[in-house]
Amino acid sequence: MSQKLVAVKGMNDLMSPQIELWQFVERTAREMFGTWGYSEIRTPIVEDTALFVRSVGEVTDIVSKEMYTFEDKGGRSLTMRPENTAPAVRAYIEHGLGQQPLTRWYYLGPMFRYERMKTGRYRQFYQLGAEAYGPADASQDVENIALAWSFLKAIGIQHVTLHLNSLGDAADRPRYLEALKAYFAPHVATFSEAARDTFERNTMRLLDTKEEALRPLVAGAPVIGDFLGDAARAHFDEVQALLTKLEIPFVLDRSLVRGLDYYTRTTFEFIYEPPSGESTLGTAGTVCGGGRYDNLVHELGGPEKPAVGFAMGLDRLVLLLEALGTQAPLRPLLFVATMEGELKAHAFKLVTDLRLKGLAVDFDPRGGKIKRQAERASAVKARHFVVYGQSEHEAKVLKIKNMDLPDADPNKEVSVPLDDLAPWLLNASKAVSVSSSP
Ligand code: AMP
């Protein structure tokens, strides 16, 4: 017997009813990020492997363990993007955009990491990110953070806390690294081989180790915040002052170093922290991560260009929205039950005319018993239901049933003249989008 074909582990099929939430999140993102002056960039799924090795960093978990890397038929080493900041920087340099004083991009698409799977952690997952190249000013950091914050609010995610830290400038690093090395050195003999390797090659990465045994030691390590130079310190103070001005709450998190090598100065994460302390996402509660990366453009061969950006995990946002019971606003507004023969053709014409006016209207092409059609209307969660029968056709008046109201409610059924149906539905759709926006 042939082997059963199933999706690759850690890679999901996305479909109804979740896909409506995905579309809601994506639609809101496109509208909102555009309004904030960010335009879309779409880079290829696959890049030269060297791009990620040089940017994300050779000793990071992503590069050392998690990349989908393969050789193409021309013998090139290619990698399916594990993140989109490096590809965006590659495109920025390749297209000579360093001439522009300010470039703001957003991206949305699948990323690939060979990670240990659990709820909210997948091998193909989707990120929504926003990057701003040019300004070194603290207001650019805060604008970027404010965009993430406002977006989370716009889609109805609550109980996320902004965690904030500064990793200082490249010039501040050597003093810090020296202190860090001196702190870990007496313990290296007890380390695993992998941890010893990290100690030798990129000591800072020990701070986000996944080895439980190292956690207590890491908890007592010197923190970068005590080694900031004057410029980085002033910048960080201004970031905090501006966040306060915009009334965006934050907590200082001195252990926040992020798992990628390119960050400088501001780093931040938005973490889902419900008041009950019980998160459905467990350790996958980080819904967004970002920060400044002032040297990356130059390190990858471009001009000196400071930049700041973030990436959000859409899979996690959709999980949260589901847990909150958010209904995607794309339920059909009206379901039309049809009779046989010519009446069915009239009803079909009505459905098509309403759809052409942009209204979400549905029907069941199989027709059949009204009871069965009503069940179908319930199954697709239609808000209103109508039977297009002989008397309705002759009187040109439809009796519309509100499926969201209980049977006893006197407003359950209203009569609407056929000629007024489109504006009536448009009105109903407005009421719906206000009441259902999470
Ligand atoms: P990072 O690029 O690692 O900073 O991740 C940014 C955001 O992407 C995280 O905060 C998560 O929300 C999301 N993310 C990262 N890795 C995964 C994954 N394997 N599965 C689902 N979401 C992820």
Side-chain angles (χ1 to χ4, degrees):
M1 217 174 70
S2 62
Q3 204 191 338
K4 205 162 122 196
L5 293 171
V6 293
V8 173
K9 193 171 170 192
M11 304 196 178
N12 301 313
D13 296 313
L14 306 175
M15 58 186 126
S16 193
Q18 287 83 21
I19 198 73
E20 282 78 18
L21 284 176
W22 281 88
Q23 290 170 339
F24 161 65
V25 169
E26 291 170 4
R27 217 172 28 246
T28 311
R30 290 186 192 289
E31 271 170 26
M32 188 164 177
F33 285 39
T35 312
W36 283 58
Y38 287 71
S39 69
E40 186 180 2
I41 167 105
R42 294 188 197 185
T43 60
I45 298 285
V46 167
E47 297 273 354
D48 195 331
T49 301
L51 173 64
F52 301 109
V53 176
R54 283 173 54 190
S55 57
V56 175
E58 204 166 353
V59 189
T60 57
D61 278 354
I62 294 178
V63 171
S64 65
K65 299 185 210 150
E66 298 171 357
M67 294 208 303
Y68 282 88
T69 298
F70 61 96
E71 212 170 80
D72 75 358
K73 295 198 191 310
R76 303 171 191 89
S77 178
L78 302 181
T79 292
M80 289 165 75
R81 60 184 188 192
E83 59 101 59
N84 217 160
T85 296
V89 170
R90 194 261 314 131
Y92 179 83
I93 298 167
E94 190 169 333
H95 300 287
L97 296 174
Q99 309 286 342
Q100 297 181 351
L102 171 60
T103 302
R104 290 197 193 104
W105 276 340
Y106 79 87
Y107 61 81
L108 198 166
M111 309 294 153
F112 304 84
R113 293 183 196 172
Y114 194 80
E115 286 203 76
R116 201 187 286 262
M117 283 163 36
K118 49 186 163 187
T119 309
R121 191 178 299 285
Y122 309 109
R123 292 181 176 170
Q124 174 171 335
F125 59 98
Y126 291 76
Q127 283 186 338
L128 162 66
E131 320 275 354
Y133 308 84
D137 198 84
S139 58
Q140 182 57 76
D141 308 36
V142 175
E143 184 218 64
N144 197 249
I145 295 172
L147 172 57
W149 165 253
S150 308
F151 176 72
L152 291 169
K153 286 209 141 178
I155 60 169
I157 302 278
Q158 293 157 348
H159 310 308
V160 282
T161 314
L162 169 60
H163 289 239
L164 193 69
N165 195 19
S166 173
L167 297 186
D169 288 313
D172 305 332
R173 291 282 163 85
R175 278 187 312 125
Y176 176 58
L177 280 178
E178 215 175 290
L180 209 55
K181 283 204 149 134
Y183 173 79
F184 283 119
H187 308 275
V188 171
T190 65
F191 282 10
S192 68
E193 203 181 316
R196 220 173 304 146
D197 187 55
T198 308
F199 173 79
E200 294 297 336
R201 295 166 67 189
N202 191 344
T203 316
M204 248 180 96
R205 290 271 71 86
L206 279 176
L207 298 176
D208 47 38
T209 179
K210 291 192 177 120
E211 289 187 29
E212 282 300 326
L214 278 180
R215 289 276 165 78
L217 186 64
V218 165
V223 291
I224 182 93
D226 294 332
F227 293 81
L228 299 190
D230 290 344
R233 157 82 36 221
H235 182 91
F236 193 38
D237 287 345
E238 203 182 338
V239 166
Q240 293 174 56
L242 286 172
L243 283 170
T244 306
K245 173 91 182 159
L246 297 195
E247 296 173 26
I248 299 177
F250 58 90
V251 293
L252 293 179
D253 184 345
R254 285 156 61 89
S255 64
L256 182 68
V257 289
R258 313 269 302 117
L260 304 87
D261 275 357
Y262 49 64
Y263 286 109
T264 52
R265 295 199 172 185
T266 317
T267 52
F268 59 92
E269 283 184 348
F270 283 92
I271 305 180
Y272 177 61
E273 291 166 343
S276 67
E278 271 294 305
S279 164
T280 39
L281 286 178
T283 54
T286 307
V287 293
C288 174
R292 259 202 180 276
Y293 49 95
D294 286 346
N295 305 318
L296 186 60
V297 176
H298 188 57
E299 277 167 14
L300 291 181
E304 295 279 358
K305 273 283 168 183
V308 58
F310 66 76
M312 282 192 193
L314 294 189
D315 307 73
R316 294 179 187 184
L317 295 182
V318 170
L319 278 176
L320 281 177
L321 288 177
E322 261 192 295
L324 287 168
T326 308
Q327 285 182 344
L330 259 190
R331 295 163 59 189
L333 260 181
L334 177 68
F335 192 100
V336 181
T338 61
M339 315 295 265
E340 288 307 307
E342 209 178 320
L343 277 176
K344 184 166 177 176
H346 287 309
F348 182 33
K349 173 80 166 64
L350 173 69
V351 168
T352 308
D353 286 347
L354 292 170
R355 284 176 166 176
L356 286 171
K357 292 193 165 95
L359 295 160
V361 177
D362 204 357
F363 80 116
D364 187 340
R366 295 170 303 173
K369 289 204 176 84
I370 297 299
K371 186 163 170 276
R372 226 197 55 203
Q373 296 191 55
E375 282 164 9
R376 173 81 196 147
S378 299
V380 296
K381 296 198 168 67
R383 291 173 197 275
H384 299 94
F385 179 76
V386 74
V387 179
Y388 194 97
Q390 186 65 37
S391 55
E392 284 82 6
H393 180 64
E394 281 167 13
K396 293 197 178 337
V397 175
L398 300 182
K399 275 199 220 97
I400 299 182
K401 213 183 230 183
N402 188 329
M403 308 269 278
D404 288 341
L405 295 178
D407 282 339
D409 194 309
N411 298 318
K412 175 91 181 166
E413 210 167 83
V414 290
S415 292
V416 179
L418 208 51
D419 287 344
D420 297 342
L421 185 57
W424 187 89
L425 283 173
L426 200 63
N427 236 346
S429 76
K430 281 185 194 140
V432 161
S433 63
V434 171
S435 68
S436 73
S437 58

Coordinates of all heavy atoms in Angstrom, one line a residue, residues 62 82-83 113 115 120-123 125-127 258 260 263 270 286-290 311-316, ligand 1:
I62 N 19.1 30.1 15.0 CA 18.5 30.1 13.7 C 19.5 29.6 12.6 O 19.2 28.6 11.8 CB 18.0 31.5 13.3 CG1 16.9 32.0 14.2 CG2 17.6 31.6 11.8 CD1 16.4 33.4 14.0
P82 N 14.5 32.4 6.9 CA 14.0 32.2 8.3 C 13.5 33.5 8.9 O 12.8 33.4 10.0 CB 15.3 31.7 9.1 CG 16.4 32.4 8.3 CD 16.0 32.5 6.9
E83 N 13.7 34.6 8.3 CA 13.3 35.9 8.7 C 13.4 36.8 7.5 O 13.9 36.5 6.5 CB 14.1 36.4 9.9 CG 15.6 36.5 9.7 CD 16.0 37.9 9.4 OE1 15.7 38.8 10.3 OE2 16.5 38.2 8.4
R113 N 11.6 27.8 9.7 CA 12.7 27.5 10.7 C 12.4 26.0 11.2 O 11.3 25.7 11.5 CB 12.7 28.4 11.9 CG 13.0 29.8 11.6 CD 13.0 30.7 12.9 NE 13.0 32.1 12.5 CZ 12.9 33.1 13.3 NH1 12.8 32.9 14.6 NH2 12.9 34.3 12.9
E115 N 12.3 24.2 13.8 CA 12.2 24.3 15.2 C 11.5 23.2 15.9 O 10.7 22.5 15.2 CB 11.5 25.6 15.6 CG 12.3 26.9 15.3 CD 11.8 28.0 16.2 OE1 12.1 28.1 17.4 OE2 11.1 28.9 15.6
G120 N 1.8 27.4 18.7 CA 2.4 28.7 18.4 C 3.8 28.7 17.9 O 4.4 29.7 17.8
R121 N 4.4 27.5 17.7 CA 5.7 27.4 17.2 C 5.7 26.4 16.0 O 5.5 25.2 16.3 CB 6.7 27.0 18.3 CG 8.2 27.1 17.8 CD 9.1 26.8 18.9 NE 9.0 27.6 20.1 CZ 9.4 28.8 20.2 NH1 10.1 29.4 19.2 NH2 9.3 29.5 21.3
Y122 N 5.9 26.9 14.8 CA 5.8 26.0 13.7 C 7.1 26.1 12.8 O 8.0 26.9 13.1 CB 4.6 26.4 12.8 CG 3.3 26.5 13.7 CD1 2.8 27.8 14.0 CD2 2.8 25.4 14.2 CE1 1.7 27.9 14.8 CE2 1.6 25.5 15.0 CZ 1.1 26.7 15.3 OH 0.0 26.8 16.2
R123 N 7.1 25.3 11.8 CA 8.3 25.3 10.9 C 8.1 26.2 9.7 O 9.0 26.7 9.1 CB 8.7 23.8 10.5 CG 9.2 23.1 11.8 CD 9.6 21.7 11.5 NE 10.2 21.2 12.8 CZ 10.5 19.9 13.0 NH1 10.3 19.0 12.0 NH2 11.0 19.5 14.1
F125 N 5.9 29.5 9.3 CA 5.0 30.4 10.1 C 5.1 31.7 9.3 O 5.8 32.0 8.4 CB 5.5 30.6 11.5 CG 6.9 31.1 11.6 CD1 7.2 32.4 11.9 CD2 8.0 30.2 11.5 CE1 8.5 32.9 11.9 CE2 9.3 30.7 11.5 CZ 9.6 32.0 11.8
Y126 N 4.1 32.6 9.7 CA 4.0 33.9 9.0 C 4.4 35.1 9.8 O 4.0 35.2 11.0 CB 2.5 34.0 8.5 CG 2.2 33.0 7.5 CD1 2.0 31.6 7.8 CD2 2.2 33.3 6.1 CE1 1.7 30.7 6.9 CE2 1.9 32.3 5.1 CZ 1.7 31.0 5.5 OH 1.4 30.1 4.6
Q127 N 5.1 35.9 9.2 CA 5.5 37.2 9.9 C 5.0 38.4 9.2 O 5.0 38.4 7.9 CB 7.0 37.3 10.1 CG 7.6 36.4 11.1 CD 9.1 36.6 11.4 OE1 9.8 37.1 10.5 NE2 9.6 36.3 12.5
R258 N 17.4 39.3 22.6 CA 16.9 38.9 21.2 C 17.9 37.9 20.6 O 19.1 37.9 20.9 CB 16.7 40.1 20.3 CG 15.9 41.2 20.9 CD 14.5 41.1 20.6 NE 14.1 41.0 19.3 CZ 13.5 40.0 18.7 NH1 13.2 39.0 19.4 NH2 13.2 40.0 17.5
L260 N 19.1 37.3 17.6 CA 19.8 37.6 16.4 C 20.9 38.5 16.7 O 20.8 39.4 17.5 CB 18.8 38.2 15.3 CG 17.6 37.3 15.0 CD1 16.4 37.6 16.0 CD2 17.1 37.5 13.6
Y263 N 21.2 43.3 16.3 CA 20.6 44.4 17.0 C 21.6 45.3 17.7 O 22.6 44.9 18.2 CB 19.6 43.8 18.0 CG 18.3 43.3 17.3 CD1 18.0 42.0 17.3 CD2 17.5 44.2 16.7 CE1 16.9 41.6 16.6 CE2 16.3 43.8 16.1 CZ 16.0 42.5 16.0 OH 14.9 42.0 15.4
F270 N 6.8 42.4 22.3 CA 5.4 42.4 22.9 C 5.1 41.0 23.3 O 5.1 40.1 22.5 CB 4.4 42.9 21.9 CG 4.5 44.4 21.6 CD1 5.3 44.9 20.6 CD2 3.7 45.3 22.4 CE1 5.3 46.3 20.4 CE2 3.8 46.7 22.2 CZ 4.6 47.2 21.2
T286 N 5.4 35.4 23.0 CA 6.0 36.6 22.4 C 5.4 36.7 21.0 O 5.6 35.9 20.1 CB 7.5 36.4 22.2 OG1 8.0 36.1 23.5 CG2 8.2 37.7 21.8
V287 N 4.6 37.8 20.8 CA 3.9 38.0 19.6 C 4.6 38.9 18.6 O 4.3 38.9 17.4 CB 2.4 38.5 19.8 CG1 1.6 37.4 20.5 CG2 2.4 39.8 20.5
C288 N 5.6 39.6 19.1 CA 6.3 40.6 18.3 C 7.7 40.8 18.9 O 7.9 40.9 20.1 CB 5.6 41.9 18.2 SG 6.4 43.2 17.4
G289 N 8.7 40.9 18.0 CA 10.1 41.2 18.4 C 10.7 42.2 17.5 O 10.5 42.1 16.2
G290 N 11.5 43.1 18.0 CA 12.2 44.0 17.0 C 13.3 44.8 17.7 O 13.6 44.6 18.9
A311 N 9.2 42.3 13.8 CA 8.4 41.2 13.1 C 7.4 40.6 14.1 O 7.7 40.4 15.3 CB 9.4 40.1 12.6
M312 N 6.2 40.4 13.6 CA 5.1 39.8 14.4 C 4.8 38.4 13.9 O 4.8 38.2 12.7 CB 3.8 40.6 14.3 CG 3.8 41.9 15.0 SD 2.2 42.5 15.0 CE 2.5 44.1 15.7
G313 N 4.5 37.6 14.8 CA 4.1 36.2 14.4 C 2.6 36.1 14.2 O 1.8 36.2 15.2
L314 N 2.2 36.0 13.0 CA 0.7 36.0 12.7 C 0.0 34.8 13.2 O -1.1 34.8 13.6 CB 0.5 36.2 11.2 CG 0.9 37.5 10.6 CD1 0.4 37.7 9.2 CD2 0.4 38.7 11.4
D315 N 0.7 33.6 13.2 CA 0.1 32.4 13.7 C -0.4 32.6 15.1 O -1.5 32.2 15.5 CB 1.1 31.2 13.6 CG 1.7 31.1 12.2 OD1 2.5 31.9 11.8 OD2 1.3 30.1 11.5
R316 N 0.5 33.2 15.9 CA 0.2 33.4 17.3 C -0.9 34.4 17.5 O -1.8 34.2 18.4 CB 1.5 33.9 18.0 CG 2.5 32.8 18.0 CD 3.8 33.2 18.7 NE 4.8 32.2 18.5 CZ 6.0 32.2 19.0 NH1 6.4 33.2 19.8 NH2 6.8 31.3 18.8
Ligands
AMP1 P1 12.1 36.6 15.6 O1 12.3 36.8 14.1 O2 12.7 35.4 16.1 O3 12.4 37.8 16.4 O4 10.5 36.4 15.8 C1 9.6 37.5 15.7 C2 8.2 36.9 16.0 O5 7.9 35.9 15.0 C3 8.1 36.2 17.3 O6 7.9 37.1 18.3 C4 7.0 35.2 17.1 O7 5.8 35.9 17.3 C5 7.1 34.9 15.6 N1 7.8 33.6 15.5 C6 9.1 33.3 15.5 N2 9.4 32.0 15.3 C7 8.2 31.4 15.1 C8 7.8 30.1 14.9 N3 8.7 29.1 14.8 N4 6.5 29.8 14.8 C9 5.5 30.8 15.0 N5 5.9 32.1 15.2 C10 7.2 32.4 15.3

